[in-house]
Amino acid sequence: MNFWDVFGEMLVILFAIAAGYAANRLGYLGGETDQKVSKLLLNITMPAMIVAAVITGEELPELGTILSILEVGVVFYLLEAVFALVVPRFLPGTQGQKGVWRYALAFPNVGFIGYPVAVALFGDGALFYLLSYSLGPLLLAGAARFRWKQLFTPCIVASVLGLVLAPTRLRPPALVGEMLDFVGDITVPLSLLVVG
């Protein structure tokens, strides 16, 4: 992908954010509406997009490639988690503020911005953000307030399902993939509107 392709994709993303800003200024978005749309994204459309990325992919990488990517990801996130746990101790602020620092250091640019950028640049197959939804709550809340039920969110369930389906090459009927893909396709534009 050359510079102009990336530049074009970034302009598309910027336009969607600008449209979200305009919608907010006009009173269509904001406040309670943003909260409800965020819940819709996190509980329905994003999990559908994650599973659809695995089961509708034309050609998934070989098992060895998937395992290599997971190994690199585990090492990267372990190092990043150590960094995120150590650095906030030296920063001023309350425990809650330090939790936000930990999360921001461990997972920069994920969620409503990270997904659209990853999809725009690398396609739907780039979606493997399991740790953001599992380790993220631990970093935000701290070990004392972390609850295991926080790991059973729709995005985590979808990510684990994707991690099972990808290496095993199990495929549900094509219609299931088409339905999930149809619902998941609204995630990127809707999330960018909310960000705006």
Side-chain angles (χ1 to χ4, degrees), residues 120-190:
L121 296 180
F122 306 113
D124 290 338
L127 299 176
F128 282 106
Y129 278 110
L130 173 63
L131 285 177
S132 175
Y133 297 103
S134 54
L135 187 56
L138 176 61
L139 293 173
L140 281 170
R145 292 175 48 206
F146 178 76
R147 301 290 175 263
W148 283 103
K149 68 179 182 180
Q150 291 172 289
L151 293 179
F152 296 100
T153 65
C155 285
I156 290 181
V157 171
S159 298
V160 170
L161 185 59
L163 288 174
V164 169
L165 292 173
T168 60
R169 299 292 199 260
L170 293 174
R171 290 288 178 272
L175 183 60
V176 173
E178 190 176 337
M179 290 186 293
L180 290 171
D181 197 37
F182 184 75
V183 172
D185 279 347
I186 66 171
T187 303
V188 172
L190 199 54

Side-chain angles (χ1 to χ4, degrees), residues 2 4 13 25 35 83 87 95 110 113 116 130 132 153 166 185:
N2 65 39
W4 293 110
I13 290 171
R25 298 292 291 178
Q35 291 175 357
F83 182 74
V87 171
Q95 283 301 100
V110 295
I113 288 290
L130 173 63
S132 175
T153 65
D185 279 347

Side-chain angles (χ1 to χ4, degrees), residues 23-161:
N24 191 353
R25 298 292 291 178
L26 292 169
Y28 303 143
L29 290 174
E32 190 177 332
T33 304
D34 283 358
Q35 291 175 357
K36 288 184 177 182
V37 171
S38 294
K39 286 181 181 178
L40 174 72
L41 287 165
L42 291 172
N43 294 312
I44 297 175
T45 69
M46 199 173 291
M49 182 176 72
I50 291 168
V51 176
V54 175
I55 64 175
T56 62
E58 294 291 322
E59 186 177 316
L60 286 174
E62 294 299 320
L63 179 59
T65 304
I66 292 172
L67 293 176
S68 296
I69 291 169
L70 288 175
E71 287 172 10
V72 170
V74 167
V75 170
F76 174 79
Y77 275 115
L78 284 175
L79 292 174
E80 196 171 44
V82 169
F83 182 74
L85 292 172
V86 172
V87 171
R89 293 177 188 213
F90 301 103
L91 298 173
T94 65
Q95 283 301 100
Q97 290 168 329
K98 290 183 180 192
V100 172
W101 276 112
R102 284 191 297 268
Y103 183 83
L105 288 169
F107 301 106
N109 196 27
V110 295
F112 290 167
I113 288 290
Y115 273 113
V117 171
V119 170
L121 296 180
F122 306 113
D124 290 338
L127 299 176
F128 282 106
Y129 278 110
L130 173 63
L131 285 177
S132 175
Y133 297 103
S134 54
L135 187 56
L138 176 61
L139 293 173
L140 281 170
R145 292 175 48 206
F146 178 76
R147 301 290 175 263
W148 283 103
K149 68 179 182 180
Q150 291 172 289
L151 293 179
F152 296 100
T153 65
C155 285
I156 290 181
V157 171
S159 298
V160 170
L161 185 59

